[in-house]
Amino acid sequence: MKVYESTGSFNPSEEVFSITIQTTNISPDEFIITKFYNICNASRYAIVGILETKDKNATDFSDYPANSQLILEDVSFGELDTSYLASGDKDIYDITTSDQIIVYIHHGIGFDPNTNSDDNKYIENYKDGIYVHLAGGSPPGSKGDGYMA
């Protein structure tokens, strides 16, 4: 599935963000974000959201039209999984209205970086600013041209 366009806003004073993700209408199933990861590093702010379907639909949505939206409002910074942060990484709680926050949306059915090393590598690569297709996983939604470190 392709994530065609996403827009969002961060509210530093309220410590929340909102995002609208353009998706495909797959009714009666629906898309959900199962988890957000804080993947800030020492040089930039970033998060990655894992986009899945409520019913764990494994259909290849690559050629489906962009005719729906997933809207999430007031997601607390406290909901971000921080397990990929390291000493010296930027703190998302320090953002100001002039900062840029990179947001990746990864479509992955059954995504679990704790039990799947390819899923774990996706998050590590996103943190490093690398977007590649791993043989054991599905390609990221926007088909980046990154290089493996």
Side-chain angles (χ1 to χ4, degrees), residues 8 19 22 27 32 37 46 50 53 56 58 66 68-69 76 80 86 94-97 102 113 132 139-140 145-146 149:
I19 189 166
Q22 191 176 36
S27 183
I32 57 173
Y37 292 90
I50 307 305
T53 68
K56 305 297 183 206
S68 188
Q69 292 182 329
S76 169
L80 300 172
D94 293 339
I95 66 169
T96 66
T97 55
I102 306 292
V132 295
D145 294 318

Side-chain angles (χ1 to χ4, degrees), residues 1 26-27 31-32 37-38 51 53 62-63 66 72 75 82 99 118 129 133-134 144 147:
M1 138 125 197
I26 58 170
S27 183
F31 285 103
I32 57 173
Y37 292 90
N38 182 338
L51 181 72
T53 68
S62 298
D63 296 322
L72 303 170
V75 179
T82 59
D99 287 320
D118 288 326
H133 174 211
L134 299 176
Y147 297 98

